[in-house]
Amino acid sequence: MIEVEVHSSLRGFLREQGLVSSWPHHLTMARLVARALRLGRPALIQTGVPTGDTHGRYRLSYLTPALMWTGPAILVAPTSVQQQLLQVEIPQLQQWIQIPKAIETGDRLPNEDFQGLLLTSPESWLADKLDGHLNFPKGITTIIDGADDLEGWARNVLTASIQPGDWEELMRKSPQAADAIRNARVQLLKSIFQHPPNPYECCLIEASEQDILWHLYEMLDKEQFYLPSPWRNFWQRWLTDGQLMWASIGRSQGQFSLYCGPVEVATALSKVWPQQPVVLIGGALDLDPKASVYRQQVGLQDTPTGNFESLICLKFSPDRQSELIQLYVPSLLPMPNTPQFQNALIQQVRTLVALANLPYGIGIDRPIVLLVGDVPLKAQVGTVLAAEFGSRVQVEKTSLEDNGILVTGWEFWRQHQGFLPSPGLLIIATLPIPSLENPLVAGAVAYYKKLRKDWFRLYLLPAALRELQRAIAPVRECQGVVAILDSRVNHRSYGQQVLAALSPLARINYPDASLFSTADS
C-alpha cells in the first residue's frame, strides 16, 4: 500500500537530511495523507505550527505522498508557498524518491489525462469551484495548505467591489445616463463622508444610501444600458441573500469604494466539498480536535449535498519539551475598556522591556514584539518606547534587528512574522477579539443575532483564538516569553479557553529577572 511506501521513503529522507527531530509528526501525517489519496476520503489536519509562512516544517508530510501517488492531485497554496516548494522541497524529494511525476502550476488542469501534481492559488481554485466552472475537474483529491485562512479566501472571492474608476467607465459606456450616474455618485459621496471617522476607514452602507444605488440600478436596467463587469457582479452579489454592504473611505483623496460580500461563507463552500476529496491542513483551526466550530464556519457539516461522517480529523499538539512558552498574565490590571488601562499598560511594558534588557535577559540577541490592536494606542505606545529606547523601536517595519523592539498591529504581524526573527518576548496588549467598533464586525454580529445564533462563541472567540495561536507560534521556537496584559483572561469565563489555546505553557504571575533567565537566547 502507498501508506507503507510513503512511510519508508519519508523516514529515509528525514534521516538523510538530518530532519528527524524537525517535527515529530511527519510520518503520522504522511500516512494519513497517503490514505486519503488512496481511499478518496476527506481529512482535516491541525499541525500546531504556522501554515502561513514559507518555512512550514510539516510540508514534507503531504508532499511525499502527493509525489508518490500514481494519480493526479491538486495542491492549493499561496503563491509564496508554491515558490518555496518548487525551488526547494519538491526537487529534493523527487531526487530522493526517484519517481517521475509531472509538476505544473496554473489556474486549470493542463489536460484531462494529466496524472501529475498541479499547484494553484486559493483564489484560482475557489473562484473556479464557487462559480461552477470546470477548470479543476471533479473527483481529483485536493490538498489545501493554510486552511486557517480559508474563510477569508472564500469571502474575498465572493466579494464584489466598485472602485472609483468604475464610475467613470460606467459613464463612458452609458453616456445617455451620465448625469444620473454622476448625481448618484455625488449623493453617495456626501452621505458616506458624513459617517463619523473611525480607525478602520470604512462604514456600513445604510438604507438611505442603498436606495440611491437601487434607484440607479433600476434606471440603468429599465433603459437596458450596458453594465461593465464590476457593476454586474456588484448587483448580482447585492441581490443574493445574506450580504453585507460597506464602503471604504479615502477622506484625503475625497473618494470611496463600495463592497458587497457574504456575512458567512459556509453556505457557498458546502456546495464545493462534495465535488472532490479534500485534505484541509491548518495550524490551529479549533480547540476541539473534531474542529466542530471551524467545520461549521466553512460548511464541512452534514448537509443535503454532502455527508462528512467519513471526515478524518487529526490534531497535533505542540511538544511540551521543545515548544513550551512562559506565560505572564498580571492579575490586577484594569480592564481594557477603562480609562486607567493605558497608563497601566505602558508601565507594564516598561517593566518587561527593562527586565528583558538585563545582561542575562533575552533582549540582547532576540527582538521584543509588542502587539497592540488599538490603532491610536499603538502609536502612543510606540512614541513612549521610542523616547526611552531610541532607534531600537520600530512601528510596523520589517527592518528589525536582533535587539530591536517592534510595535505592531495584528494584521502586520500576521503578514510578516514568518520572515522576521523569532521574538524572545511577545507582549500582547489585549486579546485579538474582533472589535464591535469595526463596522464590518458589527454588521456580522447583527447578522448572527438576527439568526439567534451565539455570535460570540461562533464568531468572535474562534477568530481571536486562531489569531492568538498563530501570533505566538514563533515564540515557541525559542521557548520564549508571552505576556498578555488583558485581565479578561483572569476574569472572564472564556479565559480558560484562551489558556488552553496557548498550551503548553508555564505560567508566571510576577515579573522579575527569572522570567527571562531560562529563555533560549
Side-chain angles (χ1 to χ4, degrees):
M1 290 192 300
I2 185 174
E3 292 97 310
V4 176
E5 296 172 0
V6 165
H7 180 102
S8 176
S9 184
L10 180 56
R11 182 177 59 183
F13 179 79
L14 294 172
R15 288 177 175 174
E16 174 72 18
Q17 299 292 320
L19 298 173
V20 173
S21 60
S22 64
W23 192 55
H25 310 295
H26 275 301
L27 299 179
T28 302
M29 179 171 163
R31 288 195 301 270
L32 178 57
V33 175
R35 185 170 183 266
L37 287 165
R38 179 173 63 86
L39 299 177
R41 291 183 60 180
L44 187 151
I45 304 171
Q46 300 188 64
T47 64
V49 297
T51 60
D53 61 73
T54 59
H55 303 98
R57 293 170 287 170
Y58 59 90
R59 293 196 172 108
L60 295 171
S61 304
Y62 69 69
L63 277 178
T64 305
L67 293 174
M68 296 182 69
W69 175 238
T70 56
I74 296 173
L75 171 60
V76 178
T79 302
S80 58
V81 173
Q82 292 184 43
Q83 293 173 348
Q84 170 73 14
L85 298 179
L86 290 169
Q87 295 171 7
V88 182
E89 282 85 357
I90 289 177
Q92 290 178 345
L93 276 172
Q94 284 195 309
Q95 184 178 4
W96 173 262
I97 61 179
Q98 295 294 303
I99 297 178
K101 191 177 185 76
I103 308 295
E104 297 285 348
T105 61
D107 61 359
R108 64 195 64 223
L109 212 67
N111 56 70
E112 60 182 14
D113 298 323
F114 182 72
Q115 297 296 306
L117 174 64
L118 174 67
L119 279 64
T120 190
S121 69
E123 295 77 14
S124 296
W125 189 80
L126 284 168
D128 180 78
K129 293 296 179 178
L130 292 168
D131 291 341
H133 302 310
L134 293 174
N135 292 331
F136 303 102
K138 297 181 179 180
I140 299 178
T141 300
T142 301
I143 300 170
I144 300 179
D145 184 0
D148 311 71
D149 297 315
L150 177 60
E151 191 177 5
W153 292 336
R155 182 170 286 107
N156 289 340
V157 169
L158 292 168
T159 295
S161 70
I162 296 176
Q163 301 300 319
D166 295 328
W167 291 88
E168 303 295 336
E169 183 182 7
L170 182 60
M171 285 188 281
R172 287 196 302 270
K173 298 294 185 181
S174 306
Q176 304 92 327
D179 288 341
I181 297 168
R182 188 177 297 108
N183 289 337
R185 181 171 63 175
V186 170
Q187 292 178 55
L188 281 172
L189 180 66
K190 182 178 179 181
S191 179
I192 288 172
F193 272 57
Q194 288 178 347
H195 287 264
N198 61 62
Y200 307 97
E201 298 182 335
C202 68
C203 67
L204 295 179
I205 300 298
E206 296 179 347
S208 60
E209 295 155 350
Q210 292 186 31
D211 287 341
I212 297 172
L213 282 168
W214 183 250
H215 292 320
L216 176 62
Y217 169 70
E218 285 186 319
M219 185 273 293
L220 294 171
D221 184 59
K222 181 179 179 180
E223 300 296 331
Q224 297 184 339
F225 288 117
Y226 174 81
L227 290 178
S229 57
W231 289 90
R232 291 198 306 272
N233 295 338
F234 189 86
W235 299 129
Q236 183 180 13
R237 179 56 53 194
W238 187 10
L239 296 173
T240 306
D241 291 336
Q243 303 302 301
L244 197 65
M245 289 184 62
W246 71 95
S248 65
I249 307 172
R251 294 185 184 274
S252 60
Q253 299 86 13
Q255 294 180 337
F256 66 90
S257 300
L258 300 175
Y259 297 87
C260 185
V263 178
E264 54 85 18
V265 299
T267 301
L269 287 177
S270 65
K271 301 172 184 177
V272 171
W273 308 130
Q275 298 178 26
Q276 66 286 301
V278 291
V279 179
L280 295 170
I281 302 172
L285 305 176
D286 202 317
L287 288 183
D288 176 15
K290 296 294 184 182
S292 55
V293 173
Y294 176 82
R295 291 174 59 188
Q296 184 172 341
Q297 291 175 326
V298 299
L300 267 172
Q301 296 176 292
D302 291 338
T303 66
T305 57
N307 186 330
F308 297 106
E309 290 183 354
S310 62
L311 178 70
I312 301 172
C313 296
L314 184 63
K315 181 176 183 178
F316 298 115
S317 299
D319 180 67
R320 187 168 184 84
Q321 295 295 323
S322 60
E323 298 180 85
L324 179 141
I325 60 167
Q326 298 179 79
L327 178 66
Y328 168 58
V329 184
S331 57
L332 300 178
L333 280 185
M335 285 290 185
N337 59 348
T338 62
Q340 297 79 21
F341 176 72
Q342 179 175 327
N343 289 335
L345 169 70
I346 291 175
Q347 185 56 46
Q348 285 283 333
V349 170
R350 281 172 168 160
T351 300
L352 290 167
V353 172
L355 287 172
N357 280 278
L358 291 174
Y360 41 81
I362 61 171
I364 292 175
D365 52 13
R366 284 200 183 276
I368 298 169
V369 174
L370 174 56
L371 274 169
V372 187
D374 183 88
V375 176
L377 182 59
K378 176 175 62 182
Q380 292 165 2
V381 172
T383 301
V384 170
L385 291 179
E388 295 191 27
F389 299 99
S391 61
R392 286 180 56 196
V393 179
Q394 303 289 334
V395 178
E396 296 197 342
K397 293 184 179 179
T398 56
S399 55
L400 185 64
E401 298 180 359
D402 289 340
N403 69 338
I405 301 172
L406 175 65
V407 182
T408 175
W410 291 91
E411 183 176 355
F412 183 90
W413 179 241
R414 185 191 322 126
Q415 293 174 351
H416 297 95
Q417 68 182 70
F419 309 99
L420 293 170
S422 299
L425 169 61
L426 177 67
I427 304 173
I428 297 172
T430 57
L431 295 173
I433 298 173
S435 173
L436 292 176
E437 294 180 2
N438 184 334
L440 302 186
V441 174
V445 167
Y447 176 82
Y448 278 93
K449 287 181 177 179
K450 183 179 179 180
L451 298 179
R452 298 184 181 277
K453 291 186 176 182
D454 187 341
W455 49 272
F456 187 80
R457 186 183 67 85
L458 295 177
Y459 171 42
L460 297 186
L461 184 59
L465 296 181
R466 280 198 290 271
E467 190 78 60
L468 194 60
Q469 290 180 89
R470 177 183 292 189
I472 70 164
V475 188
R476 295 195 185 279
E477 296 179 5
C478 58
Q479 293 187 290
V481 178
V482 175
I484 300 181
L485 306 182
D486 189 333
S487 55
R488 288 178 293 182
V489 175
N490 297 318
H491 303 296
R492 293 290 185 264
S493 59
Y494 55 82
Q496 289 302 314
Q497 291 175 270
V498 172
L499 296 176
L502 298 174
S503 182
L505 59 88
R507 188 163 179 179
I508 300 170
N509 297 318
Y510 185 81
D512 58 25
S514 64
L515 184 65
F516 304 105
S517 59
T518 58
D520 175 18
S521 58

